[in-house]
Amino acid sequence: MPAHRPITGEQTTLPVIGHSSGPGGVRWLQVMLPGRPDGSTGWIVQSATRKLTTGWRILVDLTARRVRVYRDGRTVRTFQAVVGKPSTPTPTGQFFVEETVQMEPGQAGGPFALALSARSNVLQEFEGGPGQIAIHGRNNLGGTLGAAESHGCIRLATASIDWLSARIGPGTPVKIYGA
């Protein structure tokens, strides 16, 4: 696992889902991994890590086409979203935010994208990338909020993605369910 994310150069942050002790008392952490196949995990040596915590959590309900944002177990905001269309559905499962990307002015999907650990189950690549799923804006893409019209990503209104990008950091858990 590279120490830094490929787009922003941010330090890699991986959610810990388990731990174990090995020979000689070496402590190991089981972590969620980004990429294919979705839901992959791995083990890393604890001594090479730094502990971070977050009270934030994101739930994406594909059936309702809504994104709910929680902090310390309480709903903070709910946003209508554009989700994947039937031919390119948004994958479901437990994921996390890999990095927050500030897009160039006028770039499709801007002004921000929360790049997720999820990958499309249909598109092996998209626009030169690995078919990575993101929560992003609608700049130069459009889409009707509350509709299933995307290639698998979750699109939000500009004010909504602006709000999220100012608060949500790498490692934040994201659960996508429904449909």
Side-chain angles (χ1 to χ4, degrees), residues 112-134:
F112 293 98
L114 300 179
L116 303 181
S117 60
R119 301 299 187 264
S120 171
N121 294 321
V122 176
L123 303 172
Q124 295 303 304
E125 70 87 25
F126 186 77
E127 299 284 328
Q132 185 170 17
I133 301 300

Side-chain angles (χ1 to χ4, degrees), residues 1-14 34 48 50 52 96-101 115 119 132 170:
M1 179 60 51
H4 296 91
R5 301 316 313 141
I7 300 171
T8 63
E10 289 180 275
Q11 188 169 357
T12 297
T13 303
L14 303 172
R50 181 170 56 107
L52 300 171
F96 63 94
V97 175
E98 282 191 58
E99 55 192 327
T100 302
V101 181
R119 301 299 187 264
Q132 185 170 17

Side-chain angles (χ1 to χ4, degrees), residues 1-77:
M1 179 60 51
H4 296 91
R5 301 316 313 141
I7 300 171
T8 63
E10 289 180 275
Q11 188 169 357
T12 297
T13 303
L14 303 172
V16 174
I17 58 173
H19 56 86
S20 183
S21 292
V26 175
R27 301 277 299 158
W28 291 87
L29 300 175
Q30 185 179 23
V31 295
M32 295 175 70
L33 297 174
R36 289 191 172 83
D38 283 341
S40 293
T41 65
W43 291 88
I44 59 175
V45 176
Q46 181 176 337
S47 63
T49 68
R50 181 170 56 107
K51 183 178 181 178
L52 300 171
T53 59
T54 182
W56 294 98
R57 181 170 56 105
I58 299 173
L59 269 63
V60 179
D61 182 340
L62 299 176
T63 303
R65 299 176 182 150
R66 294 195 185 279
V67 173
R68 292 192 193 285
V69 183
Y70 295 84
R71 185 169 187 191
D72 299 325
R74 297 179 58 164
T75 303
V76 178
R77 293 280 173 99

